Amino acid sequence: MNIVVIGAQWGDEGKGKLIDILSKDTDITARYQGGNNAGHTVAVGEKEYIFHLIPSAILHKEKICVIGNGVVIDPKAFLGEIEDLKKRKVHIGPSRLKISGNAHVVMPYHRILDGLRESKRKNKIGTTGRGIGPCYADKVTRCGIRIIDLLNPEVLKAKLEDNLAEKNEIFSRVYGRTDFTFGDIYQEYLDYGKKISPFVCDTALFLNRAIDQGKSILFEGAQGTFLDIDFGTYPFVTSSSSIAGGVCVGSGVAPTKIDKIIAAVKAYTTRVGEGPFPTEFSTGLKEEIRNKGKEFGATTGRPRRCGWFDSVLVRYAAVINGVSELAIMKLDVLDDLKEIQICTGYRYKGKLYKDFPLDSEVFAHAQPVYEQMKGWQASTRGIRSYPKLPVNARRYVERLEALVKVKIKYISIGSKRDEIIAR
Ligand code: IMO
Ligand code: MG
């Protein structure tokens, strides 16, 4: 069984926790897009781990993890993550972690360009500053450097020379700053290449051979549907295909091999960075939910914007991703509320929208139409079976299920591994 986990909102839906749980029953976990802009948190007992590039399944010692061709890899961040885990007694060798030679490399000029571009924009995106956009841009304009290139001094030299010739001109003429020197970057990245080389392979072949041998793969999505480069709230999106369709291009595993797609959604909505967010709280609830849900970015530490559950968005995500099951995360964060709102449509210039509007102007100014539900005002933290949930909590879950038109299979009621209800 090959399963995909994607986020159905703006990221941070709790994919890390879900992957940690589901990966116990699969052989291999693979990332297929994004880079170290992701921050996937896994809580094990009192310990908390945050993964940026390495799949969240790596804590299970007998499991194999893969970073596919669709991911952009910052080698410094990658090696740093391995070192940090080693300090915490999680040892990762090449037998347990494979990275694609075709994955593109985040270079120092990508990180700088990310910041400079943002500083010049009037409509800021609020990127994570990790160089993700510029790296994907180079991939598409065919001047990117791939992981395999770091293992070949001649190839790296030629590509880096071409890139620096262009980038230095852009940096000096457009942004008025000088210069990246070839020598330093060349040496640094050759050195990364040596350290990374044992992990590098053709991960598409590796995954497909594993499937042929009857092994099961779990695909770990990063970001969320509304950060997707095509279907998200463009231009306030990331630069990769974070929807389920991205699995195939980002891993080399064909659509015929995918069996199930699970969407992670929060019981409310959050967003980090800029961009429209119709159901965003404007009241004191903003701080209350942020603090209760510990809604601070796992990658940048920025406070997350919080709001009510938007069923229009999640329904759209269910369609685009072909979602088979939903996992509702962080339901417990709503435990104290007296009343809960669910967005079921938008109003703009007198017109009612029941679907995610095509025109971003409409979405940016949309007035949410809410349905109100009674809260349950009781703790759900210790509950492990669905019928034991307070009746109003079940009503809420079942209403979301009806609106999104997908079965809710998992309900998370805390950050720890066992704080989950499977229906
Ligand atoms: P996980 O995998 C939430 C957001 C950034 C910014 C926009 C573009 O933890 O869910 P980028 O650096 O990708 O060019 O920034 O995307 N963003 C995320 N928001 N969770 C993430 O990942 C995100 N990765 C990027 O805040 O608005
Ligand atoms: Mg995150």
Side-chain angles (χ1 to χ4, degrees):
M1 177 89 114
N2 301 317
I3 304 171
V4 178
V5 170
I6 52 98
Q9 293 156 323
W10 277 292
D12 304 320
E13 297 91 347
K15 299 177 291 289
K17 169 170 173 169
L18 205 56
I19 294 289
D20 175 58
I21 293 168
L22 296 173
S23 60
K24 275 191 303 221
D25 302 319
T26 51
D27 300 296
I28 299 169
T29 300
R31 279 274 308 264
Y32 58 91
Q33 47 70 235
N36 61 327
N37 48 350
H40 296 174
T41 307
V42 176
V44 184
E46 294 311 308
K47 290 188 196 153
E48 188 183 80
Y49 299 84
I50 300 175
F51 300 99
H52 300 287
L53 271 165
I54 295 172
S56 310
I58 203 78
L59 295 174
H60 300 292
K61 290 197 173 60
E62 68 290 8
K63 306 292 180 181
I64 294 177
C65 289
V66 168
I67 300 178
N69 54 280
V71 176
V72 290
I73 301 176
D74 183 331
K76 193 175 176 182
F78 172 76
L79 293 166
E81 208 167 320
I82 290 187
E83 276 309 303
D84 287 346
L85 283 165
K86 199 195 261 176
K87 282 185 204 137
R88 302 183 67 181
K89 309 236 166 359
V90 182
H91 296 274
I92 307 169
S95 60
R96 277 223 305 136
L97 180 62
K98 318 273 174 201
I99 75 176
S100 168
N102 284 354
H104 279 250
V105 179
V106 178
M107 304 296 291
Y109 45 80
H110 292 141
R111 289 192 298 260
I112 305 278
L113 203 53
D114 196 356
L116 288 175
R117 268 195 193 145
E118 279 280 271
S119 70
K120 284 239 167 189
R121 287 178 77 112
K122 240 203 244 149
N123 285 307
K124 299 198 189 313
I125 296 172
T127 72
T128 59
R130 300 294 188 269
I132 306 299
C135 182
Y136 276 114
D138 277 1
K139 171 178 175 172
V140 175
T141 46
R142 297 163 293 181
C143 65
I145 294 173
R146 308 214 276 192
I147 287 288
I148 195 77
D149 301 332
L150 302 183
L151 314 188
N152 186 327
E154 287 310 307
V155 173
L156 179 63
K157 182 166 182 286
K159 290 195 175 182
L160 189 59
E161 275 171 351
D162 263 352
N163 266 290
L164 287 185
E166 186 205 26
K167 262 75 178 181
N168 275 331
E169 202 158 326
I170 295 174
F171 276 113
S172 65
R173 292 192 184 209
V174 180
Y175 299 106
R177 55 170 287 169
T178 43
D179 56 75
F180 286 103
T181 48
F182 174 83
D184 296 345
I185 303 182
Y186 184 60
Q187 266 319 314
E188 183 186 348
Y189 277 70
L190 271 183
D191 191 42
Y192 292 147
K194 283 198 193 101
K195 289 183 178 143
I196 287 175
S197 84
F199 298 95
V200 179
C201 71
D202 183 332
T203 49
L205 270 184
F206 177 80
L207 290 171
N208 280 290
R209 282 188 183 138
I211 292 170
D212 289 343
Q213 289 162 10
K215 301 235 164 74
S216 55
I217 322 272
L218 181 62
F219 292 96
E220 176 174 359
Q223 289 81 50
T225 302
F226 296 94
L227 290 172
D228 181 87
I229 186 75
D230 284 276
F231 294 98
T233 47
Y234 192 90
F236 305 98
V237 294
T238 191
S239 298
S240 65
S241 300
S242 51
I243 59 162
V247 167
C248 301
V249 275
S251 72
V253 173
T256 48
K257 308 280 166 68
I258 309 292
D259 302 295
K260 197 199 275 188
I261 292 156
I262 304 178
V265 283
K266 261 179 209 169
Y268 47 101
T269 310
T270 65
R271 167 162 214 176
V272 214
E274 303 302 320
F277 180 178
T279 64
E280 185 170 13
F281 296 133
S282 55
T283 62
L285 264 179
K286 189 160 78 176
E287 270 81 40
E288 187 181 334
I289 297 296
R290 181 182 292 149
N291 292 331
K292 267 210 92 182
K294 300 199 180 76
E295 297 295 356
F296 296 87
T299 298
T300 57
R302 290 177 290 177
R304 294 183 186 138
R305 300 157 62 192
C306 302
W308 296 117
F309 189 92
D310 187 333
S311 72
V312 181
L313 287 188
V314 180
R315 171 67 198 141
Y316 191 75
V319 172
I320 296 296
N321 292 287
V323 173
S324 343
E325 292 172 353
L326 282 181
I328 302 279
M329 312 303 283
K330 292 187 144 180
L331 184 73
D332 57 297
V333 173
L334 306 182
D335 279 355
D336 299 332
L337 299 184
K338 204 164 160 210
E339 265 139 16
I340 300 174
Q341 317 277 352
I342 305 172
C343 171
T344 59
Y346 312 115
R347 230 174 252 294
Y348 178 69
K349 290 193 174 164
K351 199 175 155 207
L352 180 67
Y353 291 81
K354 295 298 253 181
D355 290 309
F356 179 51
L358 180 62
D359 184 351
S360 62
E361 266 304 290
V362 176
F363 189 67
H365 300 104
Q367 289 301 313
V369 175
Y370 288 118
E371 189 175 296
Q372 185 165 306
M373 301 203 68
K374 281 209 159 52
W376 44 97
Q377 297 189 281
S379 172
T380 54
R381 287 296 291 262
I383 297 172
R384 294 293 177 272
S385 84
Y386 187 68
K388 297 225 167 91
L389 277 178
V391 60
N392 284 352
R394 274 179 285 141
R395 281 200 182 120
Y396 182 64
V397 167
E398 283 158 34
R399 187 63 192 136
L400 299 187
E401 192 165 54
L403 287 165
V404 179
K405 302 191 176 85
V406 179
K407 195 170 164 33
I408 293 173
K409 168 83 183 176
Y410 302 96
I411 300 157
S412 176
I413 30 68
S415 56
K416 306 249 164 66
R417 260 182 185 164
D418 68 325
E419 288 177 314
I420 196 147
I421 298 168
R423 272 167 101 201

